[in-house]
Amino acid sequence: MPRDLTPGTLTRRGRLRVYLGSAPGVGKTYRMLDEARRRQERGADVVVGYVECHGRRHTENMLQGLDVVPRLTRTYRGTEFTEMDLDALLARRPSVALVDELAHTNIPGGRNARRWQDVEELLAAGIDVVTTVNIQHLESLNDVVQKITGIPQRETVPDEVVRRADQIELVDMAPQSLRRRMAHGNVYQAEKVDAALSNYFRVGNLTALRELALLWVAGRVDEGLRDYRATHNIDRVWETRERVVVALTGGPEGETLVRRAARIADRSAGGELLAVHISRSDGLAGASPGNLAEQRQLVESLGGSYHVVVGDDIPASLLAFARGRDATQLVLGTSRRGQVARFLTGPGIGETTVDASEDIDVHMVTHEFTGRGRLPSLGRRHSARRTAAGCTAGLVLPALLTALLSRAQGTLNLTTVALIFQLGVVAVALLGGAGSALLASVVASLLLNYYFIPPVHTFTITEPNNVIALVVFAVVALTVSTVVDRASRLTGRAARATAEAETLSTLAGSVLRGADALPTLLEKSRTAFGMDSVALLDRTSGAVLARCDSGGDPAVDREVTEVPVGTDALLVLAGRRLPADEHRVLTAFAAHVAAALERDRLATAAAEVEPIKAADRMRTALLAAVSHDLRTPLAAALASVGSLRSPDVEFSPEDQAELLATADESLLKLTRLVDNLLDMSRLQAGALTLDLTPTRLEEVLPRAVDSLADPDAPVQPLDLDTAPAVLADPLLLERVLANVVTNALRHNVHGAPVLVAASSLPQPPAGGTPISRFVEIRVIDRGPGIPPEFRDQVFLPFQRLGDTDNTTGVGLGLALSRGLTEAMGGTLDVEDTPGGGTTMLITLPAAEDPTEPGAVAT
């Protein structure tokens, strides 16, 4: 029943529900009517203010049983149009009003220019509105949609109108499903289907529009969630798209860290995952080549990239890599060291990285191996901190042992006490090296003499055996500490060699997997050595052959390292000063670069030889064609002319006409064949002369049809006069169209016309911003089609599908057409015709102003 909304009655604002479509035809109106039926069944007063069915039977059936407000008729420029009767709808005052096509522009004469303004009036009057709109009609996406589809959307609705809706429901459909719906006639009328599928409703366009719709709705969901969190005082951080770096040590926790980092990166569109392993001179505790290989495979399977960097200072190298890649988040695992190890070695890598991270967020991820690691190998290159700790231990540990052993004096003999002091000296050697061990042995000797060798509490030794024991103790302590320190240093060198081998192995694997080895090698060289830039220079001219840099400030002074690459090039690295022990690895990198450079040169030489090989194959094929296909029409023409000239036979006028027609047809085939052979030869030799001028398709196609063997063949143009002119050679374009149309007629269903349609779309360059347009010409037949595995073969010279028919030509038509098209700066490809058949797609540059809209059915 109508609600009481008389003047003066306090009414709430109506609620707006929007069905947002990713593209026309996905079923927005149907879903809106389905919602109206549900509300009507619940007792709501639902009225149709305006619904456009577009002749779709299923949508029209959904209107049955709903109350429809009659439309208002307005006359504009001599033509009558129907619009929604806003005043009648306000007077009717339903609970719910259905208003289709929110972005529609009203016919002049009403009080509102746009339909969304009519909807605002309905909402202000307290009427709930259910409406529909497509993603391409949102104002903020207008320029984006035009770049994708090439079509400016003149009817738009402000984003804020849709964003204020109480409910937004995305109506989505896979591009392939929508195209099938169109091919079955469920969206447009049959005569418009082919043009629509070939233009606006291309798979690429639909996929891009679908992504826009999903992202826009996701943004709206984010807004709603932020409002909810603000209302409920939820202060947890909301994560957005990020570039996430995960540090891998080769430990068993790596898989957990990678998956955690991948989840962080996946939370936002465009999130990037980078995994990095720092190979340092003393190795990383728990590093396992097998684990690293498995973790690398996991990273790459999740869409990330894997990197190896050589650096002694792990936190600094890690942060340098992250800043070089503009990372916003860094994922680290909590330490696997136990409490004792932390006490001995101080703050770990994670704590140091957090302190120096500045603007990079650091995630310390707990895992099941936290605190369960073994004591770290203390046989490393000792830092100043470690040396100071060793010296302190050399003074404190003997004193602690003396205090403990003094309580057991009388229970333990001198030999046992000396061995315990010996063990303490070895522990100090492991912590601080030989120097600290020497200090500990001296202190331990003095304490052993003073407290445990009679007479105690004096440095006097009365027994000669005790003197010998003390000297032996000091010598053994010093010797063992020296051996331990040397062993630890050798262990560090071995770890360094392992790290270098691992880096080179990773480098070799990256090169083998990559399609372009040289840029990969330079990038790996830069990241592995922590450099700002790496360049490959020609040693003679100084020209830059290749370059890779991190985008740092070029004004900053940098250390430069140069390494020869073969005899002709030089590898130049700018950044930090390389220590001497890293030059060996750099030399190996230079050898890889030299090999890659040589491979590129060989590939270039091979590419230069390929046209010569192709020309040889072409000459061989031409000779084969001359021996067979030229002889057949020539023999027929000679036979006809010879018969007419023979004095031995009297021919009737009808026979003479038939012989003349045979000679004429044979000579015409011969002329076409010779022209095709000559043009193909010019293409192969690069001697084809072009006259590129603005060319109208509606002028070229009739001439191409007239040149066919049957000028009355059923060829139907579709709105060619509305397509922009193309930049092409008119005569060559006529040849291309004639060959392609001939091929379509040969394979088309008997009696069905061959359709020729054209459309204009943007041509995106590598940067992604459209700078020009191109025109697509589609020649559509309803024949048996071409299987995907044979589509490349049909464009080869002297090939016919299946190579089973030698009576219809030499097989040059499509090969020549593709060559001529590419010579004019275009392409020729093959597609399936929706519903069956083949579509030949000719793409040529547009000659007109790219801002002028093309004729694209939407």
Side-chain angles (χ1 to χ4, degrees):
M1 294 294 294
R3 291 179 294 176
D4 182 12
L5 296 177
T6 56
T9 302
L10 182 62
T11 60
R12 66 168 178 84
R13 178 178 173 84
R15 298 176 62 82
L16 177 62
R17 182 185 183 107
V18 177
Y19 284 94
L20 179 66
S22 56
V26 294
K28 304 178 303 300
T29 304
Y30 189 94
R31 293 280 291 276
M32 179 180 68
L33 293 173
D34 187 51
E35 173 66 16
R37 285 178 171 272
R38 285 197 297 268
R39 295 194 183 197
Q40 188 181 58
E41 291 173 358
R42 294 195 297 263
D45 181 23
V46 181
V47 170
V48 177
Y50 186 93
V51 168
E52 184 61 63
C53 296
H54 298 286
R56 298 164 190 167
R57 177 171 52 85
H58 299 292
T59 306
E60 293 172 348
N61 292 338
M62 293 294 291
L63 273 174
Q64 297 178 8
L66 295 176
D67 190 4
V68 180
V69 174
R71 296 185 183 183
L72 181 67
T73 301
R74 287 198 177 100
T75 302
Y76 179 67
R77 293 184 178 179
T79 304
E80 290 188 348
F81 299 91
T82 60
E83 290 282 7
M84 181 177 72
D85 193 337
L86 177 59
D87 292 330
L89 196 56
L90 289 170
R92 172 66 172 75
R93 296 175 183 173
S95 298
V96 182
L98 307 184
V99 182
D100 207 1
E101 298 182 353
L102 183 64
H104 173 73
T105 301
N106 292 331
I107 298 299
R111 61 175 175 270
N112 295 322
R114 299 294 180 91
R115 184 164 292 162
W116 64 264
Q117 296 171 322
D118 296 340
V119 169
E120 288 292 316
E121 285 197 35
L122 295 174
L123 295 173
I127 301 174
D128 293 345
V129 176
V130 182
T131 187
T132 66
V133 68
N134 282 325
I135 190 67
Q136 71 264 24
H137 294 298
L138 295 181
E139 181 64 44
S140 66
L141 300 177
N142 184 266
D143 58 334
V144 179
V145 172
Q146 181 175 355
K147 290 176 182 178
I148 293 172
T149 65
I151 305 168
Q153 300 294 331
R154 295 179 176 83
E155 292 186 331
T156 60
V157 59
D159 289 45
E160 186 60 28
V161 173
V162 181
R163 190 174 285 112
R164 287 199 307 262
D166 299 277
Q167 288 180 284
I168 300 176
E169 183 171 336
L170 177 64
V171 184
D172 184 32
M173 181 176 291
Q176 294 80 1
S177 299
L178 180 55
R179 286 172 59 87
R180 280 196 299 269
R181 286 192 64 189
M182 297 193 65
H184 295 158
N186 295 329
V187 179
Y188 288 156
Q189 297 178 1
E191 62 272 14
K192 297 182 178 180
V193 169
D194 287 331
L197 288 173
S198 302
N199 300 307
Y200 190 88
F201 289 86
R202 296 154 55 93
V203 172
N205 289 356
L206 296 177
T207 302
L209 292 175
R210 189 185 192 195
E211 182 178 10
L212 285 177
L214 291 171
L215 291 176
W216 194 92
V217 173
R220 179 65 178 84
V221 172
D222 288 343
E223 293 174 8
L225 184 56
R226 285 195 295 268
D227 293 343
Y228 177 84
R229 293 173 58 241
T231 303
H232 294 78
N233 297 319
I234 300 175
D235 298 328
R236 293 191 301 272
V237 176
W238 179 259
E239 297 178 356
T240 58
R241 65 184 65 184
E242 302 289 350
R243 183 175 283 107
V244 183
V245 173
V246 54
L248 300 178
T249 67
E253 77 283 357
E255 181 176 343
T256 300
L257 301 183
V258 170
R259 295 188 186 279
R260 173 61 173 161
R263 288 196 296 271
I264 294 174
D266 287 342
R267 286 175 181 168
S268 61
E272 184 178 355
L273 174 64
L274 303 96
V276 60
H277 171 61
I278 309 296
S279 294
R280 49 183 288 181
S281 60
D282 52 9
L284 283 173
S288 166
N291 286 347
L292 286 174
E294 293 177 0
Q295 291 160 16
R296 173 176 187 157
Q297 292 178 358
L298 177 61
V299 169
E300 294 177 347
S301 69
L302 294 173
S305 57
Y306 181 85
H307 307 266
V308 176
V309 175
V310 176
D312 290 331
D313 189 339
I314 293 181
S317 300
L318 185 58
L319 290 171
F321 174 83
R323 292 191 178 100
R325 293 306 184 100
D326 296 325
T328 55
Q329 299 201 49
L330 186 59
V331 177
L332 300 174
T334 53
S335 178
R336 287 182 282 118
R337 301 178 303 157
Q339 295 296 331
V340 176
R342 296 183 190 182
F343 172 77
L344 292 175
T345 60
I349 294 173
E351 298 174 40
T352 307
T353 303
V354 170
D355 292 340
S357 61
E358 297 179 353
D359 55 343
I360 299 178
D361 296 336
V362 180
H363 296 262
M364 298 297 296
V365 179
T366 59
H367 48 84
E368 60 179 314
F369 303 97
T370 300
R372 300 183 183 179
R374 63 191 179 187
L375 282 174
S377 173
L378 301 179
R380 298 174 179 171
R381 183 182 299 168
H382 304 296
S383 64
R385 183 188 182 102
R386 289 282 302 282
T387 302
C391 292
T392 302
L395 294 173
V396 174
L397 186 58
L400 291 176
L401 292 175
T402 300
L404 293 173
L405 294 174
S406 295
R407 297 182 179 184
Q409 197 166 10
T411 305
L412 302 176
N413 58 30
L414 181 60
T415 303
T416 303
V417 173
L419 290 175
I420 293 175
F421 272 103
Q422 185 74 63
L423 181 62
V425 173
V426 173
V428 172
L430 290 173
L431 178 61
S436 300
L438 177 62
L439 176 62
S441 66
V442 172
V443 173
S445 298
L446 294 174
L447 292 175
L448 182 64
N449 180 14
Y450 190 81
Y451 285 100
F452 298 99
I453 297 178
V456 295
H457 303 141
T458 177
F459 290 105
T460 302
I461 303 175
T462 58
E463 293 289 338
N465 290 335
N466 291 340
V467 174
I468 296 173
L470 184 61
V471 172
V472 170
F473 168 80
V475 172
V476 170
L478 183 60
T479 303
V480 170
S481 62
T482 302
V483 171
V484 169
D485 182 68
R486 178 175 174 79
S488 67
R489 294 182 183 277
L490 291 176
T491 301
R493 293 175 185 175
R496 174 72 181 183
T498 301
E500 293 174 355
E502 178 187 323
T503 301
L504 293 175
S505 174
T506 302
L507 171 69
S510 300
V511 172
L512 290 176
R513 284 190 297 270
D516 199 345
L518 197 55
T520 301
L521 281 167
L522 295 184
E523 174 63 18
K524 292 293 182 182
S525 301
R526 188 188 68 80
T527 57
F529 294 100
M531 290 300 198
D532 296 327
S533 66
V534 178
L536 184 63
L537 306 180
D538 185 276
R539 184 176 292 185
T540 302
S541 64
V544 178
L545 303 178
R547 182 180 180 86
C548 174
D549 59 61
S550 61
D553 186 0
V556 177
D557 292 335
R558 304 168 181 171
E559 293 287 341
V560 176
T561 304
E562 297 182 353
V563 181
V565 176
T567 58
D568 302 326
L570 198 65
L571 187 65
V572 180
L573 298 89
R576 67 184 179 93
R577 180 188 295 274
L578 282 181
D581 54 358
E582 291 187 8
H583 276 268
R584 182 175 64 259
V585 184
L586 180 58
T587 303
F589 270 72
H592 280 285
V593 173
L597 192 60
E598 183 64 22
R599 189 174 71 177
D600 287 349
R601 290 172 179 169
L602 292 176
T604 301
E608 293 174 351
V609 173
E610 185 59 32
I612 300 175
K613 294 170 60 180
D616 289 339
R617 290 194 298 267
M618 177 60 65
R619 280 191 290 269
T620 302
L622 284 173
L623 291 175
V626 169
S627 65
H628 178 273
D629 294 272
L630 285 179
R631 183 171 52 191
T632 301
L634 185 61
L638 288 174
S640 299
V641 174
S643 299
L644 289 173
R645 295 187 60 189
S646 174
D648 300 330
V649 181
E650 288 285 343
F651 292 101
S652 64
E654 292 80 7
D655 293 336
Q656 291 180 2
E658 183 177 354
L659 289 172
L660 289 174
T662 300
D664 182 69
E665 180 180 356
S666 299
L667 292 174
L668 181 59
K669 288 182 180 180
L670 185 61
T671 300
R672 290 175 179 167
L673 181 57
V674 171
D675 288 341
N676 284 342
L677 290 171
L678 292 175
D679 285 341
M680 184 60 72
S681 299
R682 294 189 187 102
L683 280 174
Q684 294 294 325
L688 189 66
T689 302
L690 299 177
D691 180 19
L692 299 180
T693 59
T695 305
R696 303 294 307 184
L697 297 177
E698 68 272 20
E699 298 175 358
V700 175
L701 182 62
R703 296 199 300 266
V705 174
D706 290 341
S707 67
L708 301 180
D710 181 9
D712 297 325
V715 179
Q716 179 182 342
L718 295 177
D719 300 327
L720 296 183
D721 55 341
T722 61
V726 297
L727 189 63
D729 186 308
L731 296 178
L732 295 184
L733 180 57
E734 179 183 332
R735 294 282 303 281
V736 170
L737 288 175
N739 286 337
V740 174
V741 170
T742 299
N743 184 78
L745 289 170
R746 181 180 302 126
H747 299 287
N748 200 22
V749 175
H750 179 70
V754 170
L755 305 180
V756 182
S759 60
S760 173
L761 291 172
Q763 173 70 62
T769 303
I771 57 175
S772 64
R773 273 196 312 177
F774 64 91
V775 176
E776 292 185 341
I777 308 169
R778 279 180 159 76
V779 180
I780 306 167
D781 68 57
R782 294 292 180 180
I786 301 176
E789 61 269 21
F790 294 126
R791 289 180 181 175
D792 290 335
Q793 297 183 18
V794 300
F795 292 108
L796 296 177
F798 313 104
Q799 294 289 327
R800 287 167 298 276
L801 187 57
D803 277 341
T804 58
D805 179 13
N806 292 324
T807 65
T808 56
V810 70
L812 276 178
L814 292 181
L816 178 61
S817 297
R818 171 174 275 188
L820 295 177
T821 304
E822 292 176 350
M824 293 185 289
T827 59
L828 174 58
D829 297 298
V830 60
E831 296 179 351
D832 287 328
T833 300
T838 299
T839 297
M840 289 293 175
L841 177 61
I842 305 169
T843 304
L844 290 170
E848 296 183 353
D849 187 345
T851 60
E852 177 188 344
V856 182
T858 61

